[in-house]
Amino acid sequence: FEEVDRGPRVYASVHLDAMLVRTADDSVMWTGTARAERAVDTPTMAAIVASLSTLAASVVAELVDDASRTVAARSAAAAGRAP
């Protein structure tokens, strides 16, 4: 989570790395990286925090969707059928 100043503009930036690990054998089932950035119209602390929160929700949803698709495809492949 970062506030980025570029000249007169202020941006909110979120970059997350995530990993899904099977606890039974500590094997990595999925890894993903997502990032998002957008300009903050009114560069107040409240506006920056609100932008970071919105971006974080979007990035987490993107990671969850990707993990879900990957795990479903692997499960289907292991069962011998198409996802």
Side-chain angles (χ1 to χ4, degrees):
F1 293 67
E2 186 174 13
E3 171 190 338
V4 180
D5 298 320
R6 290 192 192 118
R9 299 293 312 200
V10 174
Y11 295 83
S13 178
V14 173
H15 177 190
L16 294 176
D17 296 316
M19 182 182 302
L20 182 63
V21 178
R22 182 183 315 158
T23 58
D25 60 4
D26 287 330
S27 62
V28 176
M29 301 297 296
W30 168 88
T31 62
T33 298
R35 63 178 41 188
E37 183 176 287
R38 78 172 180 199
V40 179
D41 294 329
T42 308
T44 63
M45 185 56 68
I48 293 166
V49 169
S51 292
L52 287 169
S53 179
T54 300
L55 289 173
S58 174
V59 165
V60 168
E62 181 181 333
L63 289 168
V64 168
D65 288 347
D66 185 46
S68 295
R69 283 191 305 273
T70 300
V71 170
R74 285 186 183 171
S75 294
R81 61 183 194 280

